[in-house]
Amino acid sequence: CSRWPGGWHARASDHAGSVQVLPAFRILTPLEVAQVRGGAVVIDVLRAFTVTAWAFHLGAERIVLLRELDEALRLKAASPGSFAFQDAEPLPGFDLANSPVRIERLALRGSTVFQRTTSGTQGANAAAHCRPLLCTGFATARATAAYLRARTDIDWHFVPTGDAGLAVEDIACAQDRQDLRHALGRLPL
């Protein structure tokens, strides 16, 4: 896998007989996003944000994305009825090992979830200063694309998080979002 070029910049495109200028957008690693301003789309396709999407679908009221495992356990202990998720095999005190399949057995309605992963939540925390901040993967691709389409006033930074920003599946998702940005109004959402 080779790293995508550092930036794609605003360009004019012909759209239904008129010229439309798109804002700048770039693919950055989680380390690089700490140095930028604008909006960020943090991408973790395989686990973190698929689990997050399912947790919201199953009724979780709030999901807190964390950097440290011990922070997730501390916050869970201080919040009765909450859940703690992490990646890899389940550790003592955690309710889920970030599995989109196993999440359905949990009663999440109205709960708070404290989630810590090796890639996705780390990228989200690195981009926490960006406004707006979106966390996505293929499970939420359509909603993300619709939001990006509506917010052409923002310079966007795409942040694939798996494998230190080089995960093929995360880069593919970022590329898909860019294709949608270039084709504003031409693709059904």
Side-chain angles (χ1 to χ4, degrees):
C1 172
S2 61
R3 186 160 187 271
W4 289 96
W8 288 262
H9 299 283
R11 68 184 180 99
S13 64
D14 187 16
H15 179 65
S18 63
V19 174
Q20 184 174 21
V21 177
L22 302 179
F25 56 98
R26 298 173 43 164
I27 296 178
L28 303 173
T29 67
L31 292 175
E32 293 168 328
V33 75
Q35 309 302 317
V36 301
R37 295 194 185 280
V41 180
V42 180
I43 304 165
D44 188 316
V45 169
L46 292 181
R47 298 263 183 188
F49 301 137
T50 299
V51 167
T52 301
W54 271 104
F56 278 129
H57 176 74
L58 294 171
E61 185 174 306
R62 182 173 170 230
I63 299 174
V64 181
L65 306 176
L66 301 167
R67 290 184 190 268
E68 302 297 331
L69 291 169
D70 61 340
E71 185 179 16
L73 292 177
R74 183 179 52 75
L75 290 168
K76 177 189 171 190
S79 304
S82 66
F83 294 87
F85 296 175
Q86 47 70 232
D87 49 6
E89 289 302 312
L91 297 172
F94 284 88
D95 303 292
L96 187 72
N98 217 27
S99 169
V101 174
R102 294 182 186 151
I103 194 170
E104 290 184 336
R105 66 177 166 79
L106 300 175
L108 296 176
R109 182 145 318 277
S111 68
T112 295
V113 172
F114 299 103
Q115 185 182 27
R116 189 279 183 188
T117 65
T118 303
S119 299
T121 66
Q122 304 305 312
N125 278 285
H129 66 285
C130 294
R131 295 290 181 266
L133 173 61
L134 307 178
C135 296
T136 195
F138 287 126
T140 53
R142 182 168 286 226
T144 301
Y147 187 83
L148 294 175
R149 188 172 164 204
R151 295 302 308 267
T152 59
D153 58 315
I154 296 171
D155 290 337
W156 289 100
H157 306 286
F158 294 83
V159 187
T161 60
D163 294 331
L166 299 176
V168 173
E169 66 277 2
D170 293 348
I171 291 171
C173 188
Q175 185 62 42
D176 185 46
R177 299 293 72 74
Q178 288 183 9
D179 289 346
L180 290 173
R181 296 281 304 202
H182 282 300
L184 289 172
R186 296 183 198 160
L187 295 177
L189 294 177

